[in-house]
Amino acid sequence: MKKHIEIEGMSCEHCVKAVKNVLEELGGNDISVGLTGGGFAEDEISADDNKIIEAIAEEEFEVVKIENI
């Protein structure tokens, strides 16, 4: 399922890479991560939303919202 994830706390390309790596570890593919609007990711991923939130939080970012698209 494709998801749009709004993320707070991202400010640089290092942040983008950290989030992309987390999503890859959770089995995501076709991942797009950017800094627009404070940070976002779009991903084709089947992982549970709570697992996504916890994994991103471990990188010290906050998931604001996850939407299925």
Side-chain angles (χ1 to χ4, degrees), residues 44-61:
E44 185 71 35
I45 191 167
S46 61
D48 178 72
D49 289 355
N50 288 327
K51 286 186 180 182
I52 295 169
I53 292 167
E54 290 173 11
I56 291 174
E58 287 179 12
E59 295 296 322
E60 301 185 13
F61 305 116

Side-chain angles (χ1 to χ4, degrees), residues 27-39:
N29 55 53
D30 192 23
I31 301 166
S32 175
V33 182
L35 299 172
T36 305

Side-chain angles (χ1 to χ4, degrees), residues 8-65:
E8 283 187 354
M10 295 173 53
S11 61
C12 66
E13 289 303 314
H14 176 74
C15 299
V16 169
K17 184 173 173 120
V19 169
K20 187 171 183 175
N21 288 341
V22 164
L23 296 173
E24 286 174 344
E25 289 174 9
L26 291 173
N29 55 53
D30 192 23
I31 301 166
S32 175
V33 182
L35 299 172
T36 305
F40 76 91
E42 289 189 352
D43 187 11
E44 185 71 35
I45 191 167
S46 61
D48 178 72
D49 289 355
N50 288 327
K51 286 186 180 182
I52 295 169
I53 292 167
E54 290 173 11
I56 291 174
E58 287 179 12
E59 295 296 322
E60 301 185 13
F61 305 116
E62 180 183 353
V63 173
V64 177
K65 179 170 48 170

